[in-house]
Amino acid sequence: MTDKLKVGIVGGTGMVGQRFVELLDQHPWFKVTVIAASSGSAGKTYEEAVSGRWKLSTPIPDSVKNIVVQDASKVEEVAAGVDFVFCAVDMKKNEIQALEEAYAKTGTPVVSNNSAHRWTADVPMVIPEINPSHLEVIAAQRKRLGTETGFIAVKPNCSIQSYVPALHALLDFKPTQVVASTYQAISGAGKNFTDWPDMLDNVIPYIGGEEEKSEQEPLRIWGTVENGEIVKASAPLITTQCIRVPVTDGHMATVFASFENKPAKEEILARWREYQGRPQQLGLPSAPKQFITYFEEENRPQTKLDRDIENGMGVSVGRLREDSIYDFKFVGLSHNTLRGAAGGAVLIAELLKAEGYIVAK
Ligand SMILES: N[C@@H](CC=O)C(=O)O
């Protein structure tokens, strides 16, 4: 490919925005041409705007240091310089909904990390390996928004990515009940230990809104497309507890599951080993070669050792065993700011491009 698509990052100075910047540097299909943020950062170079608050261990890429940050609320101006945008902003839900729709109405595709539109009936919420067919609702959404080229597509909450992929590979055994407890890294709250010293040597048993998202969003991912809308699945029944733990990156989940047709352990392991989704079939640039990796060792997956598997885009699973109350239990792990946030969104954008939904303006 010679001409890369021009990308804007709306909310480019926050932690997820920084991950977008990092992942898109040297991307084979996409090039960051615009970074937009709040009016307080507008007019500064990107390097100035993130000075003292760059949170990643890699340096700020040279390719973006001198980009002058634009005001994200000046939608027409931002949209004029890009083919599509990623959006990761920190605003009220109704403001995010309005902002993303405003971008879409300029004819600009929006790939969003925000939760604001996750339950808008004609907005696809996608894990590319699991429900790429939900992109079909974009046609209905475009009609509603009055645009031929713009639309919004969103990624789900980070925490579900540590257990939904493993369950998805077993869907034809019909999971009936799932209990998941998540152990979530502090980067999920946009923080590191310098910003949040109280998290050192500490565990907080509450993350606002997280349990509702963790229980409901999988059902939308497993939903069906009916008349241009996603209709959520009615099973399995899911209950969760979401806990903040003192690790930088990586959300772990302990999972108990029962099935209508209980599989054998070997069948489960085979499904995980063999599972491939559309990104693997298409060979998308950010797709992990192995989506689900099972560790035989009893003390794996470990957050620090395994969160970066497949460049942070793979999902690790371990400790599969029969349970005395449920059929099986296991542990899952995914990188929350890569697979669970910016990386997952970049993979959605690659799928959208490969499927012809995102094109050069
Ligand atoms: N809501 C999540 C964000 C994902 O990383 C969290 O708080 O961890």
Side-chain angles (χ1 to χ4, degrees), residues 54-123:
W54 181 255
K55 293 183 196 282
L56 307 183
S57 53
T58 51
I60 306 170
D62 286 338
S63 58
V64 296
K65 277 185 178 167
N66 295 320
I67 290 182
V68 176
V69 177
Q70 296 189 29
D71 183 340
S73 67
K74 301 205 167 142
V75 171
E76 297 282 348
E77 284 173 30
V78 173
V82 299
D83 294 313
F84 74 99
V85 294
F86 290 106
C87 188
V89 292
D90 188 10
M91 291 160 56
K92 290 192 188 126
K93 180 175 174 177
N94 63 331
E95 293 170 352
I96 298 176
Q97 286 176 329
L99 184 75
E100 292 184 344
E101 290 200 358
Y103 275 100
K105 284 178 179 171
T106 66
T108 307
V110 178
V111 181
S112 175
N113 186 65
N114 308 307
S115 61
H117 272 298
R118 285 188 195 150
W119 288 93
T120 306
D122 58 12
V123 170

Side-chain angles (χ1 to χ4, degrees), residues 188-263:
K191 302 214 190 293
N192 57 26
F193 286 114
T194 310
D195 311 321
W196 202 1
D198 287 351
M199 272 310 296
L200 282 165
D201 193 24
N202 199 12
V203 168
I204 298 180
Y206 175 71
I207 303 174
E210 199 72 357
E211 290 169 2
E212 294 79 355
K213 289 177 192 163
S214 304
E215 290 168 3
Q216 292 302 315
E217 290 186 11
L219 298 175
R220 189 164 199 254
I221 293 287
W222 288 320
T224 46
V225 177
E226 289 175 31
N227 302 319
E229 300 191 342
I230 313 289
V231 178
K232 76 172 188 176
S234 53
L237 209 57
I238 305 175
T239 181
T240 65
Q241 291 203 81
C242 299
I243 312 286
R244 187 72 71 199
V245 296
V247 297
T248 52
D249 292 310
H251 287 359
M252 184 174 275
T254 59
V255 184
F256 298 80
S258 286
F259 300 85
E260 200 172 307
N261 307 315
K262 183 180 172 183

Side-chain angles (χ1 to χ4, degrees), residues 1-6 27-31 83 353 360:
M1 171 172 304
T2 46
D3 291 334
K4 294 189 183 183
L5 292 176
K6 291 183 280 177
H27 190 281
W29 296 356
F30 307 143
K31 178 179 169 49
D83 294 313
K353 187 205 167 301

Side-chain angles (χ1 to χ4, degrees), residues 157-159 184-185 187-189 207-208 210 213 244 251 336-337 340-341:
N157 197 43
C158 48
S159 61
Q184 303 191 199
S187 57
I207 303 174
E210 199 72 357
K213 289 177 192 163
R244 187 72 71 199
H251 287 359
N336 58 303
T337 65

Side-chain angles (χ1 to χ4, degrees), residues 15-331:
M15 187 180 251
V16 175
Q18 293 176 18
R19 276 286 186 202
F20 277 122
V21 163
E22 178 190 54
L23 293 174
L24 294 169
D25 185 44
Q26 314 295 330
H27 190 281
W29 296 356
F30 307 143
K31 178 179 169 49
V32 177
T33 53
V34 173
I35 299 178
S38 64
S39 54
S41 295
K44 297 179 181 166
T45 64
Y46 186 65
E47 187 174 25
E48 288 163 353
V50 294
S51 162
R53 53 191 181 119
W54 181 255
K55 293 183 196 282
L56 307 183
S57 53
T58 51
I60 306 170
D62 286 338
S63 58
V64 296
K65 277 185 178 167
N66 295 320
I67 290 182
V68 176
V69 177
Q70 296 189 29
D71 183 340
S73 67
K74 301 205 167 142
V75 171
E76 297 282 348
E77 284 173 30
V78 173
V82 299
D83 294 313
F84 74 99
V85 294
F86 290 106
C87 188
V89 292
D90 188 10
M91 291 160 56
K92 290 192 188 126
K93 180 175 174 177
N94 63 331
E95 293 170 352
I96 298 176
Q97 286 176 329
L99 184 75
E100 292 184 344
E101 290 200 358
Y103 275 100
K105 284 178 179 171
T106 66
T108 307
V110 178
V111 181
S112 175
N113 186 65
N114 308 307
S115 61
H117 272 298
R118 285 188 195 150
W119 288 93
T120 306
D122 58 12
V123 170
M125 176 168 76
V126 179
I127 297 177
E129 282 86 351
I130 296 183
N131 60 336
S133 64
H134 285 195
L135 297 183
E136 274 172 43
V137 299
I138 287 173
Q141 189 198 138
R142 280 177 166 159
K143 218 166 176 181
R144 173 174 63 86
L145 296 176
T147 164
E148 286 184 7
T149 51
F151 62 87
I152 302 159
V154 299
K155 52 153 285 296
N157 197 43
C158 48
S159 61
I160 74 167
Q161 328 242 359
S162 50
Y163 56 94
V164 165
L167 291 169
H168 181 73
L170 311 177
L171 222 50
D172 57 345
F173 298 114
K174 302 204 171 127
T176 50
Q177 293 192 317
V178 173
V179 179
S181 296
T182 58
Y183 301 83
Q184 303 191 199
I186 63 172
S187 57
K191 302 214 190 293
N192 57 26
F193 286 114
T194 310
D195 311 321
W196 202 1
D198 287 351
M199 272 310 296
L200 282 165
D201 193 24
N202 199 12
V203 168
I204 298 180
Y206 175 71
I207 303 174
E210 199 72 357
E211 290 169 2
E212 294 79 355
K213 289 177 192 163
S214 304
E215 290 168 3
Q216 292 302 315
E217 290 186 11
L219 298 175
R220 189 164 199 254
I221 293 287
W222 288 320
T224 46
V225 177
E226 289 175 31
N227 302 319
E229 300 191 342
I230 313 289
V231 178
K232 76 172 188 176
S234 53
L237 209 57
I238 305 175
T239 181
T240 65
Q241 291 203 81
C242 299
I243 312 286
R244 187 72 71 199
V245 296
V247 297
T248 52
D249 292 310
H251 287 359
M252 184 174 275
T254 59
V255 184
F256 298 80
S258 286
F259 300 85
E260 200 172 307
N261 307 315
K262 183 180 172 183
K265 184 175 176 190
E266 279 315 315
E267 287 180 295
I268 297 179
L269 293 176
R271 292 299 169 90
W272 286 344
R273 198 168 46 241
E274 286 155 20
Y275 189 82
Q276 290 225 327
R278 192 104 182 96
Q280 287 70 36
Q281 289 152 3
L282 291 169
L284 298 179
S286 303
K289 294 223 165 358
Q290 183 67 31
F291 183 38
I292 301 169
T293 298
Y294 185 75
F295 285 89
E296 294 290 348
E297 298 90 329
E298 282 184 337
N299 63 355
R300 306 282 286 277
Q302 288 181 25
T303 309
K304 203 168 171 177
L305 290 183
D306 302 316
R307 62 189 166 207
D308 290 325
I309 198 161
E310 297 275 0
N311 297 318
M313 292 298 285
V315 176
S316 307
V317 187
R319 302 210 65 215
L320 174 68
R321 61 228 192 267
E322 293 212 28
D323 182 54
S324 53
I325 298 180
Y326 295 85
D327 287 341
F328 282 98
K329 53 189 168 190
F330 62 88
V331 174

